[in-house]
């Protein structure tokens, strides 16, 4: 999926001649090309979509409050270096997200002018928390789509649903950058402190002389687990889901209309509701999302553990592997993705430190292969340094197991997703093998 400055550009109105043709057939068909006799119980903006938005908003606010609380806790514990480190990890990614959000708002304003001064005042004043504003915009577009559906205005429903998808895709991208540039460094810092401390001392409390670091030590474990299992991993799943759907919907108008009409007739003859190309290739199934979650959980966990192990043995040199790999990925993305700006390439280069996400259309096999070659090479170097640098550490063997096992397990789930659960079943090796097996059965029975 190509990361564009604003996917709303892809949802701009049709050319004049195409728009007139659409207006002529509005009475017969809605904007999806579906017959107006579509069941009234079907609404594009479902209650699950609404629940996902509310869940994302709550997670964003809770995650931001938790990071600020941890930052204050480090200052109170007289740890100014780590406190300032966490503070800038919070500030810089959110400033970047606010800058990109305002840029997208201005580009959207050039297409569809918004003459409401109060809205612009809110967007400018609260730009550091721009993802929250984006969630609210997505929610409002969803409500408008549902209201239009209740009124029977299917064309207006589609328009608002497209805007909802655009907002969801854009806020998912903003959250992805914020998650990995804000949360990932904090997780590495907390995990490194946990590795330095034996587990039997994580919950020891000295009643006579309370240690201010006992509370951070105890909270660190919960913070690492919550951010890794929920915020970071679910953020990647949400990004991949929203952007895949928005990208396919944006390219629906470029599909061959004759092929689309033929598929609709075949579905209608089979008694099924005709599906659009974006519905067939852009919607992730539950098994697909589960495979992506496991893939990202294991891969991100492996990367976080790798940098935490390196931090324990060579903290002052931690910037060397991070900056080296950041530069490699930034240059890679800049030349691989057309129209990707330098700033966006640097931002996604930071994301690639911990996770692989699709940033361009087309097959990803070579990109994935290159990414994991770099990852396993870096893991081998960190494993050697960890083995010789901390031979007496309590987590000496467990750290190596999680680092290499997580990367290998993530690679297996990646193969499972692209091989069996990818929405484009025509190009997955699992479904191709199944179709070949089914095609050979009649031939064998005929021979017998």
């Amino acid at each position: 999926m190509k990361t564009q400055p604003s996917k709303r550009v892809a949802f701009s109105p049709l050319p004049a001649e195409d728009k007139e043709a659409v207006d002529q057939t509005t009475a017969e068909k809605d904007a999806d090309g579906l017959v107006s006799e579509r069941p009234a119980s079907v609404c594009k903006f479902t209650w699950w979509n609404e629940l996902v938005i509310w869940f994302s908003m709550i997670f964003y606010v809770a995650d931001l409050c938790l990071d600020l609380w941890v930052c204050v806790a480090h200052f109170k514990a007289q740890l100014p270096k780590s406190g300032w480190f966490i503070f800038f990890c919070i500030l810089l990614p959110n400033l970047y997200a606010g800058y990109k959000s305002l840029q997208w708002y201005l580009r959207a304003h050039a297409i569809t002018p918004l003459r409401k001064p109060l809205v612009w005042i809110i967007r400018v004043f609260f730009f550091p928390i721009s993802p929250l504003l984006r969630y609210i915009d997505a929610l409002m577009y969803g409500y408008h789509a549902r209201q239009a559906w209740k009124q029977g205005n299917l064309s207006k429903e589609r328009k608002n649903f497209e805007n909802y998808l655009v907002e969801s895709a854009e806020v998912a991208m903003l959250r992805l950058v914020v998650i990995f540039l804000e949360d990932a460094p904090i997780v590495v810092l907390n995990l490194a402190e946990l590795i330095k401390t034996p587990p039997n001392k994580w919950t020891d409390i000295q009643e006579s002389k309370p240690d201010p670091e006992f509370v951070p030590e105890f909270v660190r474990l919960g913070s690492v687990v919550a951010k890794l299992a929920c915020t970071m991993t679910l953020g990647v799943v949400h990004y991949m889901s929203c952007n895949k759907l928005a990208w396919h919907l944006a390219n629906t108008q470029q599909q061959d209309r004759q092929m689309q009409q033929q598929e609709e007739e075949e579905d209608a003859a089979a008694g099924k509701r005709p599906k659009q190309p974006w519905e067939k290739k852009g919607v992730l199934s539950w098994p697909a999302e589960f495979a992506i979650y496991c893939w990202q959980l294991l891969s991100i966990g492996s990367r976080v553990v790798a940098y935490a192990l390196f931090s324990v043995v060579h903290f002052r040199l931690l910037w060397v592997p991070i900056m080296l790999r950041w530069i490699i990925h930034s240059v890679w993305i800049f030349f691989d993705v057309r129209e990707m700006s330098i700033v966006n390439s640097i931002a996604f280069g930071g994301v690639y430190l911990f996770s692989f996400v699709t940033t361009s259309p087309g097959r990803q096999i070579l990109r994935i292969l290159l990414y994991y070659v770099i990852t396993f090479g870096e893991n081998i170097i960190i494993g050697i340094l960890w083995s010789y640098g901390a031979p007496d550490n309590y987590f000496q063997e467990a750290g190596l197991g999680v680092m290499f096992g997580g990367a290998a397990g993530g690679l297996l789930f990646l193969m499972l997703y692209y091989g069996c659960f990818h929405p484009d079943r025509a190009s997955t090796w699992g479904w191709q093998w199944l179709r070949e097996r089914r095609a050979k059965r009649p031939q064998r029975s005929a021979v017998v």
Side-chain angles (χ1 to χ4, degrees), residues 39-107:
S41 60
V42 178
C43 178
K44 290 185 175 66
F45 183 70
T46 63
W47 294 104
W48 173 253
N49 298 136
E50 182 180 354
L51 181 63
V52 169
I53 296 179
W54 282 108
F55 184 78
S56 301
M57 291 174 63
I58 294 173
F59 251 84
Y60 170 72
V61 175
D63 184 56
L64 184 60
C65 293
L66 177 61
D67 289 340
L68 292 173
W69 181 79
V70 172
C71 180
V72 173
H74 277 76
F75 279 111
K76 289 184 177 180
Q78 299 180 355
L79 300 172
K81 292 184 179 180
S82 59
W84 283 112
F85 175 78
I86 296 174
F87 173 76
F88 283 107
C89 286
I90 299 172
L91 179 64
L92 296 180
N94 282 281
L95 290 179
Y96 167 80
Y99 157 74
K100 294 304 298 182
S101 181
L102 286 177
Q103 186 183 48
W104 291 342
Y105 277 135
L106 291 175
R107 296 192 179 188

Side-chain angles (χ1 to χ4, degrees), residues 273-311:
R273 173 183 174 270
K275 292 185 177 181
Q276 300 300 301
W278 64 270
E279 291 181 298
K280 296 180 179 180
K281 298 184 179 181
V283 179
L284 295 176
S285 62
W286 286 105
E289 293 192 355
F290 178 76
I292 294 175
Y293 178 85
C294 295
W295 159 31
Q296 294 296 334
L297 177 64
L298 294 173
S299 299
I300 297 172
S302 172
R303 302 301 306 134
V304 168
V305 170
Y307 288 127
L309 297 181
F310 190 93
S311 175

